[in-house]
C-alpha cells in the first residue's frame, strides 16, 4: 500500500475517523457534545447525565438517568485485591501511573470480552465510570499511610469523590463546581489520549486496556499533565511584578508557557473561560488564591506577545486554581482529568466498535536498503 497523502507531523489536520460525539470550532471558540453547546451542559446538567449523553448519544430521560446513577453508585467499591495491589505501589510514584496500572488490573478480574453484547458494553461503562474515581482517591489515602475510605452511596458522583479524598463531606457549592469541571473535561474530539483509546479499541481488546492506554497518554505534559505544570509555573513566577520579566526570559529560551496554546483553538478555549469564572466563585466564598492575580497578569502578557499566533489559555490554565481551592493536591489534577475523560474515551470506544477496522497507518521510510551485514568482530 502506498501513502495516499503527504506526511504531516502529529497528524495535524488529518481525519482519523468519522465521529458524531463532539465538535470544536477553534476559531469561534465553540465546543459541543452531541451538538449541545458545552456552556449549556455546564449550566444545566450533571456529569453522569453528560457521560450518558456522550456514550449513548442522547440525554437520558428521568428514569434512564436514575437507573444509570443507581448502577454507577452501586459499582464504586474496589475489590480488596485491587486495594491490596495499590498498597504495594511506591508512595512516591505518580498517581497517574497508579491509575494506569489499577485500570489495567480491572481486566484481570473482568476478563470476559463480549464486545457485541450491549449488556457487556453497559456493564463495562458503569464499572469504569464508577471505579476510576475510587482508585484515584484510594491511592491518595494509601500513599499517606491510611486505609482508603469506602464510597458513600448517599452522595452524588462528585460529592462522593471529594468525600473519599478528604474523608469530609463537601459543601454543595464545592461538589457542584467539581461536577462542572468534570463536564468541561469529559470529551474533546480526537486528542492524543482519545486517539490512543481508539487505536487500542480497534484491536478488539478489553475496555480496561483501552482506558489504561488512554490514561498513559493523558499523563504527558503536552496533554493532561499540563494542568499540574501550570501551578509549578505560577509558583516559579512568584509575583505579579515578576510576570513580564519571567515571560520574556521564557520566550527568549524558546520555552513553552504551560496552559497556553492548542492545536485546534486559536482563541481562548471556552472551557478556560468557564473555569475562570468557577475559580472566581470559589474565591468569593473561600478567599482568593495567591496565584490568581499572577495568572491573570500572565494571560494579559501572553496575549500581548503571542495573541497574533493564536496562543491563548487552554483548559489547563485555570483548572488547577479551581482544584487547589477544592483542596485537591497538585499531582491529582491529571488523574481528575482522567476521571472525567473516561466518559469521552468510552464514547469513542463504543463508536469505534460500531464500525471497527484496525488502525494500521503507513510510514514514509527514510532508511537505507541492501546494507552489508558486518559480523560482530568486524564492527
Ligand atoms: N507557549 C509558547 N509558545 C507556544 C505555545 C506555548 N504554550 N504553544 C504554542 N506555541 C508556539 C510554538 O512555539 C510555535 O511557534 P513558531 O511557529 O514560532 O515555532 C507555534 O506556537 C505552534 O506551536 P506547536 O507546538 O507547533 O503547536 P502544536 O499544535 O503542535 O501544540 C500544544 C499544541 C498544546 C502541544 C502546545 O500549544 C503546547 O505545548 N502548549 C503548552 C502545553 C499545554 O498547555 N498543553 C495542554 C494542551 S490543552 C489540553 C490537553 O490537550 O490536555
Amino acid at each position: 500500500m502506498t501513502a495516499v497523502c503527504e506526511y504531516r507531523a502529529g497528524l495535524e489536520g488529518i481525519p482519523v475517523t468519522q465521529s458524531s460525539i463532539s465538535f470544536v470550532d477553534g476559531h469561534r471558540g465553540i465546543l459541543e457534545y452531541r451538538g449541545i453547546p458545552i456552556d449549556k451542559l455546564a449550566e444545566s446538567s450533571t456529569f453522569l447525565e453528560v457521560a450518558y449523553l456522550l456514550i449513548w448519544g442522547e440525554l437520558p430521560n428521568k428514569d434512564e438517568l436514575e437507573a444509570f446513577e443507581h448502577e454507577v453508585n452501586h459499582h464504586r467499591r474496589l475489590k480488596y485485591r485491587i486495594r491490596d495491589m495499590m498498597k504495594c505501589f511506591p508512595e512516591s510514584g505518580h498517581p497517574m501511573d497508579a491509575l494506569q496500572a489499577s485500570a489495567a488490573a480491572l481486566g484481570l478480574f473482568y476478563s470476559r470480552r463480549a464486545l457485541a453484547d450491549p449488556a457487556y458494553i453497559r456493564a463495562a461503562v458503569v464499572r469504569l465510570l464508577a471505579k476510576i474515581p475510587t482508585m484515584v482517591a484510594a491511592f491518595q489515602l494509601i500513599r499517606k499511610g491510611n486505609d482508603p475510605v469506602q464510597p458513600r452511596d448517599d452522595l452524588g458522583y462528585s460529592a462522593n469523590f471529594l468525600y473519599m479524598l478528604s474523608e469530609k463531606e463537601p459543601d454543595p457549592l464545592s461538589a457542584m463546581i467539581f461536577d462542572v469541571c468534570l463536564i468541561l473535561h469529559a470529551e474533546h474530539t480526537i486528542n492524543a489520549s482519545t486517539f490512543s483509546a481508539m487505536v487500542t479499541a480497534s484491536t478488539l481488546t478489553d475496555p480496561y486496556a483501552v482506558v489504561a492506554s488512554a490514561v498513559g497518554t493523558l499523563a504527558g505534559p503536552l496533554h493532561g499533565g499540563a494542568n499540574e505544570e501550570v501551578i509549578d509555573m505560577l509558583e516559579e513566577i512568584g509575583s505579579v511584578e515578576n510576570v513580564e520579566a519571567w515571560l520574556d526570559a521564557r520566550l527568549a529560551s524558546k520555552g513553552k508557557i504551560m496552559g497556553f496554546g492548542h492545536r485546534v483553538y486559536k482563541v481562548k478555549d471556552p472551557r478556560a473561560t468557564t473555569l475562570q469564572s468557577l475559580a472566581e466563585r470559589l474565591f468569593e466564598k473561600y478567599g482568593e488564591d495567591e496565584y490568581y492575580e499572577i495568572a491573570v497578569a500572565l494571560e494579559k502578557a501572553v496575549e500581548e506577545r503571542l495573541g497574533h499566533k493564536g496562543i491563548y489559555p487552554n483548559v489547563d490554565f485555570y483548572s488547577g486554581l479551581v482544584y487547589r481551592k477544592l483542596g485537591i493536591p497538585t499531582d491529582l489534577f491529571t488523574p481528575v482529568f482522567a476521571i472525567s475523560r473516561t466518559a469521552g474515551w468510552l464514547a469513542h470506544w463504543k463508536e469505534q466498535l460500531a464500525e471497527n477496522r484496525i488502525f494500521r497507518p503507513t510510514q514514509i521510510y527514510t532508511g537505507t536498503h541492501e546494507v552489508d551485514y558486518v559480523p560482530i568482530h568486524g564492527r
Side-chain angles (χ1 to χ4, degrees):
M1 173 117 180
T2 50
V4 291
C5 58
E6 65 174 312
Y7 161 64
R8 302 276 282 274
L11 292 180
E12 182 170 5
I14 298 185
V16 293
T17 190
Q18 301 192 89
S19 178
S20 60
I21 299 170
S22 64
F23 170 80
V24 177
D25 181 331
H27 293 278
R28 292 192 295 151
I30 292 173
L31 170 60
E32 293 169 345
Y33 293 169
R34 300 284 186 186
I36 305 176
I38 187 70
D39 49 333
K40 193 71 212 155
L41 291 167
E43 200 182 292
S44 318
S45 270
T46 62
F47 170 68
L48 279 187
E49 201 177 355
V50 167
Y52 188 104
L53 167 74
L54 289 168
I55 296 165
W56 281 285
E58 283 179 1
L59 282 169
N61 64 29
K62 193 167 170 291
D63 290 347
E64 287 165 337
L65 180 60
E66 275 173 17
F68 185 53
E69 285 172 345
H70 182 82
E71 280 173 74
V72 172
N73 284 3
H74 287 84
H75 282 86
R76 289 166 172 169
R77 283 177 175 66
L78 300 178
K79 289 192 183 292
Y80 81 88
R81 284 198 284 183
I82 293 209
R83 291 203 308 269
D84 285 356
M85 177 192 81
M86 295 177 86
K87 287 179 186 164
C88 299
F89 294 167
E91 57 271 18
S92 57
H94 196 285
M96 279 300 269
D97 294 326
L99 180 60
Q100 188 184 22
S102 313
L106 286 176
L108 294 162
F109 293 91
Y110 308 101
S111 55
R112 197 169 79 94
R113 204 186 294 147
L115 299 176
D117 176 359
Y120 172 87
I121 302 280
R122 183 165 176 121
V125 163
V126 164
R127 202 174 280 132
L128 279 157
L129 286 172
K131 294 188 194 305
I132 294 276
T134 314
M135 288 172 170
V136 174
F139 184 66
Q140 169 63 8
L141 292 198
I142 290 169
R143 70 177 172 166
K144 289 198 305 188
N146 300 330
D147 265 330
V149 294
Q150 289 294 356
R152 264 182 49 190
D153 291 351
D154 61 316
L155 295 177
Y157 193 84
S158 291
N160 176 60
F161 173 70
L162 294 175
Y163 161 75
M164 289 190 297
L165 211 54
S166 63
E167 302 178 77
K168 284 198 291 284
E169 192 175 327
D171 66 90
L173 178 71
S174 300
M176 184 278 284
I177 285 185
F178 185 74
D179 205 63
V180 175
C181 291
L182 295 185
I183 293 174
L184 295 174
H185 287 82
E187 159 64 8
H188 208 244
T189 72
I190 310 302
N191 50 85
S193 59
T194 300
F195 187 42
S196 189
M198 287 163 55
V199 172
T200 309
S202 81
T203 69
L204 302 184
T205 185
D206 70 68
Y208 312 104
V210 169
V211 168
S213 71
V215 170
T217 308
L218 184 71
L222 294 188
H223 193 8
N227 54 15
E228 204 179 310
E229 304 223 351
V230 167
I231 298 298
D232 297 343
M233 178 182 77
L234 295 174
E235 187 177 9
E236 188 186 316
I237 296 172
S239 69
V240 172
E241 295 68 43
N242 196 29
V243 164
E244 303 265 336
W246 181 91
L247 180 59
D248 288 335
R250 181 77 161 208
L251 293 177
S253 67
K254 304 255 177 268
K256 289 269 177 80
I257 320 303
M258 300 316 278
F260 284 83
H262 199 279
R263 176 67 60 81
V264 181
Y265 290 115
K266 299 304 161 205
V267 294
K268 186 168 175 175
D269 186 328
R271 300 167 298 173
T273 308
T274 308
L275 283 161
Q276 184 173 8
S277 61
L278 292 178
E280 285 171 356
R281 280 183 72 180
L282 279 174
F283 300 154
E284 260 168 43
K285 180 152 181 184
Y286 299 111
E288 200 154 286
D289 184 293
E290 54 180 320
Y291 294 152
Y292 184 58
E293 274 189 22
I294 303 175
V296 171
L298 183 64
E299 178 179 346
K300 186 166 168 284
V302 171
E303 184 177 343
E304 282 162 13
R305 287 162 181 76
L306 299 176
H308 66 282
K309 282 195 196 178
I311 311 288
Y312 288 92
N314 60 46
V315 67
D316 290 323
F317 191 57
Y318 286 108
S319 62
L321 293 176
V322 174
Y323 296 152
R324 260 164 70 88
K325 216 54 198 176
L326 293 175
I328 299 173
T330 309
D331 63 358
L332 289 193
F333 293 176
T334 318
V336 163
F337 193 159
I339 291 175
S340 159
R341 189 54 64 86
T342 297
W345 296 328
L346 290 170
H348 284 272
W349 169 59
K350 194 165 161 290
E351 191 176 68
Q352 181 67 34
L353 292 181
E355 273 190 59
N356 189 53
R357 189 161 187 219
I358 190 167
F359 276 94
R360 197 351 179 148
T362 187
Q363 62 169 12
I364 295 168
Y365 178 63
T366 59
T368 48
H369 294 283
E370 308 265 332
V371 177
D372 282 341
Y373 180 79
V374 181
I376 194 154
H377 53 80
R379 291 176 210 161

